[in-house]
Amino acid sequence: MKEIIEVDGLVAQAIAVAWEDGKSSGLLFENYKLVLSDASDGYRVAWKASNKPQGHRGALPGLAEPQLLIDKFSGRVLQKHLSR
């Protein structure tokens, strides 16, 4: 990645919280990209599996994709959801 991205301190905190959560969950970061969006109830952060190969009959293999709702000010994880 050769692009410069500027974020404020609260977004940086949300990214750090998401990284720690992913690390403790055992995610292999080289298989994922981070997608962050600003919502009215907090930051929505999703780890999206990158380069997912198609399986038999078009079914995707079982790579979990954690999705977090992180409070903007405290940095607490308010919700966590796993999808495949």
Side-chain angles (χ1 to χ4, degrees), residues 6-20:
E6 293 183 15
V7 297
D8 65 19
L10 295 176
V11 172
Q13 174 180 267
I15 292 170
V17 168
W19 186 84
E20 283 294 330

Side-chain angles (χ1 to χ4, degrees), residues 1-8 11-12 15 34 36:
M1 183 172 159
K2 296 179 182 181
E3 183 178 335
I4 295 174
I5 300 172
E6 293 183 15
V7 297
D8 65 19
V11 172
I15 292 170
L34 183 81
L36 184 137

Side-chain angles (χ1 to χ4, degrees), residues 2-78:
K2 296 179 182 181
E3 183 178 335
I4 295 174
I5 300 172
E6 293 183 15
V7 297
D8 65 19
L10 295 176
V11 172
Q13 174 180 267
I15 292 170
V17 168
W19 186 84
E20 283 294 330
D21 183 78
K23 182 179 172 186
S24 68
S25 298
L27 286 184
L28 298 174
F29 292 115
E30 61 270 14
N31 294 332
Y32 291 88
K33 62 181 176 181
L34 183 81
V35 179
L36 184 137
S37 61
D38 190 356
S40 61
D41 53 351
Y43 292 114
R44 296 198 176 273
V45 180
W47 288 103
K48 298 289 183 182
S50 57
N51 302 323
K52 288 192 289 190
Q54 292 283 320
H56 183 65
R57 295 186 183 168
L60 294 174
L63 280 177
E65 294 183 336
Q67 299 175 6
L68 308 169
L69 175 62
I70 299 173
D71 183 69
K72 288 183 180 182
F73 301 105
S74 70
R76 287 184 25 239
V77 175
L78 302 176

